[in-house]
Amino acid sequence: MLKNKSSSGHDEIVSWIAKTSIDTVAEPLAEIINCSLETGIVPDKLKIAKVIPVYKAGAKNEFSNYRPISILPFFSKIFEKIVYTRLLNYLDKEDILTPGQYGFRKKRSTYMALIDICEQITNSIDNHDYCAGVFIDLSKAFDTIDHSILLTKLQHYGIRGITLDWFKNYLTNRVQFVSIDNVYSSNGHITCGVPRLNTWTFIISNIYK
C-alpha cells in the first residue's frame, strides 16, 4: 500500500488523487505495466525526477544546510512496487539473501543485527578469543552507485534476459530538475545513483556488496 503524500512529481499528481481515480485508470495502467515488463522498456515520462531542497538546520542562506529530496511521478512508484514484489519473491525462492541481512526485510529489523553482534562479542569473551568490529558509513551511497556494477551484480544473481533489460532501461535516460518556489531549472541527465524508493533501497542493501 502506497502512503498518502502531499508532494508530487513533475506530473503534479499527488497520491490521494491517483488513489481516488484508480478504478478508472487501473485497466490501462495494467496494460502499460504488463507491456513494460514484457518488452523491458520503461516509459521515459516515469524517469523524470523533481528535486526540491528541504531545510535542515543552521543558516538558511547556506546550501549545505539543505537536503535534496528527489520526487518521482506517482505511477512510477506502482511500477517499482510490482517489480519489488517479484524480485523479492525470486530472491526468497532461490535463497539468495544472506541470513545476516536484517534491514529492509519482513519480520526482521536492524535491532536484530545489534543482538547478533552482541552475541558474537559475548561468545568471543567467553572463549577468550579476540573480537574486532569494522563499521563503514558510505557517504552519499545512493548518489554514487555505478549503474554498470549494479547491473553486473543483478546478472550474477540470476537476473537476466528481459528482466535485466528492464532494470537497465529503467536506469538509462533518467533526468532531473530542481524546483524552488515554482521556479524550475533545466533538465540534467543522471549518470549514476538510483531513485530512493523501497525497491532500490532493498536491491542495494541486499545485492550491492
Side-chain angles (χ1 to χ4, degrees):
M1 179 64 69
L2 297 173
K3 297 179 180 179
N4 287 326
K5 294 184 178 181
S6 58
S7 58
S8 62
H10 74 92
D11 55 3
E12 302 298 331
I13 299 177
V14 295
S15 58
W16 68 267
I17 292 179
K19 287 182 178 181
T20 55
S21 61
I22 195 64
D23 290 339
T24 304
V25 301
E27 186 173 345
L29 180 61
E31 289 288 338
I32 294 173
I33 293 174
N34 287 332
C35 182
S36 173
L37 297 176
E38 290 171 0
T39 60
I41 298 174
V42 181
D44 285 341
K45 291 295 184 180
L46 299 182
K47 303 177 185 179
I48 303 174
K50 180 172 75 173
V51 180
I52 59 173
V54 176
Y55 173 69
K56 296 186 295 183
K60 290 190 175 182
N61 60 344
E62 301 233 353
F63 291 149
S64 59
N65 293 330
Y66 289 82
R67 180 164 59 98
I69 301 296
S70 180
I71 305 175
L72 293 170
F74 175 79
F75 291 112
S76 71
K77 299 175 185 179
I78 297 179
F79 269 70
E80 289 207 356
K81 187 69 174 179
I82 292 173
V83 174
Y84 164 80
T85 302
R86 293 191 176 190
L87 179 62
L88 178 59
N89 289 338
Y90 167 76
L91 295 175
D92 285 340
K93 179 182 177 182
E94 300 298 326
D95 195 23
I96 291 174
L97 304 181
T98 171
Q101 175 61 45
Y102 296 103
F104 310 104
R105 299 180 67 182
K106 287 184 178 180
K107 299 181 180 180
R108 288 173 176 251
S109 176
T110 49
Y111 81 85
M112 298 174 68
L114 296 176
I115 296 175
D116 187 19
I117 192 171
C118 286
E119 184 177 352
Q120 292 185 42
I121 293 173
T122 302
N123 290 336
S124 296
I125 293 174
D126 291 341
N127 296 327
H128 304 286
D129 293 331
Y130 289 104
C131 184
V134 178
F135 303 91
I136 302 175
D137 182 12
L138 299 178
S139 177
K140 305 293 184 181
F142 281 87
D143 300 329
T144 58
I145 290 172
D146 185 282
H147 292 169
S148 61
I149 295 176
L150 178 58
L151 292 170
T152 299
K153 282 289 186 178
L154 287 171
Q155 186 175 27
H156 172 74
Y157 287 106
I159 310 300
R160 302 187 179 96
I162 296 296
T163 305
L164 185 63
D165 290 341
W166 189 95
F167 283 107
K168 182 177 181 180
N169 188 270
Y170 184 87
L171 293 171
T172 57
N173 199 31
R174 302 196 70 86
V175 298
Q176 64 182 6
F177 65 93
V178 178
S179 172
I180 303 177
D181 294 332
N182 293 322
V183 178
Y184 307 123
S185 71
S186 57
N187 288 344
H189 286 276
I190 302 173
T191 57
C192 63
V194 295
R196 297 192 182 192
L197 291 181
N198 287 341
T199 304
W200 293 105
T201 304
F202 175 80
I203 292 172
I204 294 165
S205 65
N206 288 286
I207 295 179
Y208 196 71
K209 297 179 179 178

